[in-house]
Amino acid sequence: MFNLNFTIYQTLKSHWRLFHKDENELNNTEVKYYRGLNEYTTAQNIVDLGLDSFPQFKAAYTTYQAVLQVIRHRDRAALQTLVMTYQRNKTEMDTVITTIKQNYLGIRNACLYDYSNGPLEGVNRKIKELKRGCYGFRNMHNFFIRIQMISA
């Protein structure tokens, strides 16, 4: 029994990225060698092994995949249903769903509109890097000219 649990632990530890993938992106046909498990298998088999071994993890994983699907497809009705029908199971997913509930309007609007503040955040990062790299400007006018050159 100890040997089996240790093998599952090694598999989960070394292949944690597979659990972050979308369920539809997992390859269930290509067989390749996976270290930790020390055998040839598919990515889907590794995920199934981890989920079958830990039922509480399986519940959190299922909810995680549902949240991913809802946000990728921008389905507001499904998001509301998911948040309102979620049953707490004493995992970290409880915190995630609580956070989604607290920020529901923003997440709903992100699903509704195509607008993003990503470009603006990129400009802010460049301005901060400019401030750090120059250790201040003697003339504020030159600083603003430099910001205009960065954002042009």
Side-chain angles (χ1 to χ4, degrees), residues 6-32:
F6 186 70
T7 303
I8 293 170
Y9 166 76
Q10 284 182 322
T11 304
L12 294 177
K13 183 174 168 113
S14 58
H15 303 295
W16 59 269
R17 287 181 186 89
L18 293 176
F19 294 95
H20 286 281
K21 278 189 168 184
D22 187 1
E23 284 178 318
N24 302 326
E25 294 176 7
L26 286 175
N27 195 341
N28 60 356
T29 57
E30 181 185 347
V31 176
K32 58 187 229 186

Side-chain angles (χ1 to χ4, degrees), residues 90-103:
K90 294 184 171 82
T91 62
E92 285 74 17
M93 193 55 67
D94 295 345
T95 307
V96 172
I97 297 297
T98 303
T99 304
I100 290 175
K101 283 181 182 179
Q102 290 172 351
N103 300 311

Side-chain angles (χ1 to χ4, degrees), residues 29-96:
T29 57
E30 181 185 347
V31 176
K32 58 187 229 186
Y33 184 79
Y34 287 96
R35 289 183 21 216
L37 196 57
N38 296 331
E39 66 180 54
Y40 289 88
T41 188
T42 63
Q44 183 66 50
N45 285 345
I46 289 180
V47 170
D48 290 341
L49 176 68
L51 296 180
D52 292 341
S53 302
F54 304 101
Q56 204 172 22
F57 177 58
K58 184 174 186 174
Y61 178 79
T62 306
T63 306
Y64 169 72
Q65 289 296 324
V67 169
L68 279 181
Q69 290 298 322
V70 163
I71 291 175
R72 283 198 178 126
H73 296 300
R74 297 179 163 200
D75 190 356
R76 292 173 311 171
L79 176 65
Q80 184 176 12
T81 304
L82 177 71
V83 169
M84 296 305 163
T85 61
Y86 177 73
Q87 298 293 321
R88 298 178 68 82
N89 56 7
K90 294 184 171 82
T91 62
E92 285 74 17
M93 193 55 67
D94 295 345
T95 307
V96 172

